[in-house]
Amino acid sequence: FAQITAEESEDEPPSREERADARLSEREAAGGNNEGAVTAETEGDGQRDGEEAEQPDQTPMLSNKPRKKKKKRKTKKTSAGETLEDNDLEDIDSLLEKIEDTNGLSQETQGGIITDSRPLLYVEHRNLNPENELKRYFGARAVLGDQRPRQRQRQYVRSTWLTAPKNTWPRYSKTGIAMQLVDTRRGVQYFTFEHHREYQQVQFKFLDAVESMDPNNIVLLLQMNPYHVDSLLQLSDVCRMQEDQEMARDLIERALYSLECAFHPVFSLTSGTCRLDYRRPENRAFFLALFKHLMFLEKRGCPRTALEFCKLILSLDPENDPLCVLLLIDFLSLRAREYTFLTRMFQEWESHRNLSQLPNFAFSVPLAYFFLSQQEERSELELSQARERAARLIQLALIMFPSVLMPLLDHCGVQPDARVASHSFFGLNAQISQPPALNQLMSLYVGRTHSLWKDPAVMAWLETNVREVLRMVDARDPLVEESEHKRKMRYQSAPRNIYRHVILSEMKEATAALPLEVTSQPVMGFDPLPPLDSIVSYTRPERTNHPSNESTLSLFFRSLLPNFNLQGDIRHDGDEEAGAGQDLNQGVNRLMAAMRDMLANIQFQEPPRDDNPEGDGDWD
């Protein structure tokens, strides 16, 4: 069906333009004779119908139905044309636009006309498929190869937007996940995933497998439940640590497929008006699967597709941004060369989100303006405005975050001149005096985007603005002192979503700067740093709790005998404590006696001495 829709969208617009031109030329030739114009129109349409009527014989049978619909549309346009008399080109164009709207043009065609009026976080379906981006780079034959015949053989596979199911996957069946519409406020719809009872039981088994610290238990669980989302996420991390990137990516795609099959009928990926609450544990898997998927896409060389997934994550909760993708979206925009999107986002969100207070936006936005100023197809006015904005914003960024410059030059392998290296404003003191939270943001940005600054033209532009900033510092510009005051007052502690983003990004420079309260607690790949105000819909049943004050000896016994109970059989009468102590002593004595017998009866078999018949004597 995708191919049929593509054929229609490619064939229909030229035919409409041809009909409009034919009607105009025939009216001019008729010299104002309305009847002649109408007759010429109907004859022209009849000829074209006759020409196209021969085509279905040469095409597959599936293409006949759209062709017949196209003829009906032509009759409507002819009848609409009959109501027109002596109208000019603008009237005909307006009529054709109305007809296109009533016939329901695809969003892509409409989007080509009104691209700038779309919402900022509008997501296009075709940009969610990495194959479309790879086709632009390498061609369809190199990307698809012989995949098309094999895909046609599996007719039962459900078509999805986030990822394409593979022949190697187990056959999908309902997993016990559903999505419900919770609320609708001001045109925004709030959804949530729900776990049915059977899925909850699998979730409890998964938590037991995680606590066992044995990945094989998760593998066994996935063999019985091949589309359990949290197991797929956790096992993907294990495969990635073992350098099996292909399997890790495949598991994430399978998790996305499982979640998309559970979507609510009115849940839309592209509208930007559907929300999911990260505080609900059932929703977190979707956020994490999308984030891990876009990281694989970026490493695979598909930054445009990764940017579209980043916009999708941000649209699910733009206010709270639980995975803090605002720290990533600028890098993906620059890599995908979507400079206009980045500058538009900065202009629309700066007033209420203060994006300039994030080091990544403070440096990436002027870099985007600089790249725009290098595009020769733009007018001279646009180029000069882009150059002015780039210079002004990069100077503000260097004044606000001076500690970024030296690590950035170091990662790029550039040696600064003596004046810059010796100046106290950009020196080592700027990095030592900044708060730890700001150090994390700076390390994250430099480690992620330093490759974009290696261009010699970019470095020359940066050098010019660094000298201008030093001139302002030496002149004691009040902006310098104001920025220093802002740095000391802000960035005292980073919010939890930034820590979560640093952990998921796995940037060595930023991970090393994480505080002790984050690194000291265990971090699970299926739910890193869960929110402190989580909304729990169901709880795990209580398990037999072992006493926390166990001795080393009791822990050793439990490792040998899993059923060993330190407290023994507790009596429920008045002598409870005495009975417990007596049973404890008896149990320990029995265990010690059994251990002595076991050690006494251990016999070691002597090794054969055929290779050395003489020997060196017995061991003492």
Side-chain angles (χ1 to χ4, degrees), residues 267 281 307 393 485 496:
F267 182 82
L307 174 62
L393 291 176
H485 178 70
R496 200 171 179 85

Side-chain angles (χ1 to χ4, degrees), residues 325-389:
V325 293
L326 281 178
L327 299 178
L328 176 65
I329 196 169
D330 63 300
F331 169 66
L332 296 176
S333 300
L334 292 174
R335 278 214 56 197
R337 300 183 180 181
E338 294 290 329
Y339 311 127
T340 306
F341 167 77
L342 181 58
T343 56
R344 179 190 172 191
M345 184 176 192
F346 182 76
Q347 293 171 1
E348 294 185 8
W349 284 28
E350 168 63 16
S351 59
H352 65 283
R353 298 295 290 268
N354 290 326
L355 297 182
S356 60
Q357 302 308 304
L358 294 174
N360 59 309
F361 271 93
F363 282 87
S364 292
V365 172
L367 185 59
Y369 276 118
F370 172 77
F371 286 136
L372 287 175
S373 68
Q374 304 297 308
Q375 296 179 351
E376 299 178 354
E377 63 271 14
R378 296 182 177 272
S379 64
E380 185 59 35
L381 178 61
E382 292 176 339
L383 295 179
S384 62
Q385 290 178 350
R387 283 191 293 267
E388 292 175 1
R389 291 176 181 174

Side-chain angles (χ1 to χ4, degrees), residues 163-432:
T163 183
K166 299 179 181 178
N167 295 334
T168 56
W169 291 357
R171 184 162 184 172
Y172 178 80
S173 60
K174 290 188 177 181
T175 59
I177 302 180
M179 179 184 280
Q180 299 296 330
L181 177 61
V182 179
D183 193 10
T184 302
R185 297 193 301 268
R186 297 179 180 177
V188 178
Q189 297 171 317
Y190 295 85
F191 296 86
T192 182
F193 284 98
E194 291 183 350
H195 293 171
H196 294 165
R197 188 173 185 84
E198 60 273 15
Y199 193 90
Q200 295 179 14
Q201 300 301 321
V202 180
Q203 187 74 10
F204 298 150
K205 294 179 182 178
F206 164 73
L207 296 176
D208 294 340
V210 170
E211 290 180 356
S212 70
M213 305 298 292
D214 187 0
N216 293 322
N217 293 332
I218 302 178
V219 174
L220 293 175
L221 183 63
L222 272 178
Q223 289 179 353
M224 301 298 296
N225 307 274
Y227 287 94
H228 181 256
V229 179
D230 285 348
S231 297
L232 293 168
L233 295 179
Q234 189 69 31
L235 192 60
S236 174
D237 286 349
V238 175
C239 294
R240 188 169 42 80
M241 294 176 184
Q242 296 176 353
E243 302 298 329
D244 191 353
Q245 301 292 333
E246 188 67 26
M247 178 58 69
R249 188 178 68 195
D250 186 80
L251 293 172
I252 294 298
E253 292 179 359
R254 202 198 300 182
L256 281 176
Y257 179 74
S258 176
L259 290 169
E260 187 173 2
C261 289
F263 278 177
H264 193 275
V266 298
F267 182 82
S268 173
L269 294 171
T270 61
S271 64
T273 58
C274 296
R275 303 285 185 265
L276 287 175
D277 194 347
Y278 193 81
R279 294 176 300 172
R280 296 181 180 270
E282 298 88 344
N283 296 338
R284 295 173 198 164
F286 189 51
F287 283 88
L288 296 170
L290 289 173
F291 189 90
K292 294 174 185 290
H293 185 57
L294 79 85
M295 295 300 292
F296 281 119
L297 288 171
E298 192 273 328
K299 294 177 182 178
R300 191 181 173 188
C302 301
R304 183 65 185 87
T305 310
L307 174 62
E308 210 71 13
F309 274 91
C310 192
K311 289 160 61 177
L312 174 58
I313 297 175
L314 189 57
S315 69
L316 295 176
D317 193 354
E319 296 299 326
N320 300 313
D321 192 11
L323 300 185
C324 207
V325 293
L326 281 178
L327 299 178
L328 176 65
I329 196 169
D330 63 300
F331 169 66
L332 296 176
S333 300
L334 292 174
R335 278 214 56 197
R337 300 183 180 181
E338 294 290 329
Y339 311 127
T340 306
F341 167 77
L342 181 58
T343 56
R344 179 190 172 191
M345 184 176 192
F346 182 76
Q347 293 171 1
E348 294 185 8
W349 284 28
E350 168 63 16
S351 59
H352 65 283
R353 298 295 290 268
N354 290 326
L355 297 182
S356 60
Q357 302 308 304
L358 294 174
N360 59 309
F361 271 93
F363 282 87
S364 292
V365 172
L367 185 59
Y369 276 118
F370 172 77
F371 286 136
L372 287 175
S373 68
Q374 304 297 308
Q375 296 179 351
E376 299 178 354
E377 63 271 14
R378 296 182 177 272
S379 64
E380 185 59 35
L381 178 61
E382 292 176 339
L383 295 179
S384 62
Q385 290 178 350
R387 283 191 293 267
E388 292 175 1
R389 291 176 181 174
R392 177 171 52 85
L393 291 176
I394 192 61
Q395 292 172 17
L396 292 176
L398 290 170
I399 293 174
M400 186 66 196
F401 306 106
S403 60
V404 174
L405 179 64
M406 300 307 291
L408 181 62
L409 295 179
D410 183 56
H411 277 73
C412 295
V414 176
Q415 183 67 30
D417 57 17
R419 185 189 174 195
V420 176
S422 61
H423 203 286
S424 60
F425 187 72
F426 291 117
L428 186 61
N429 185 36
Q431 303 179 35
I432 297 176

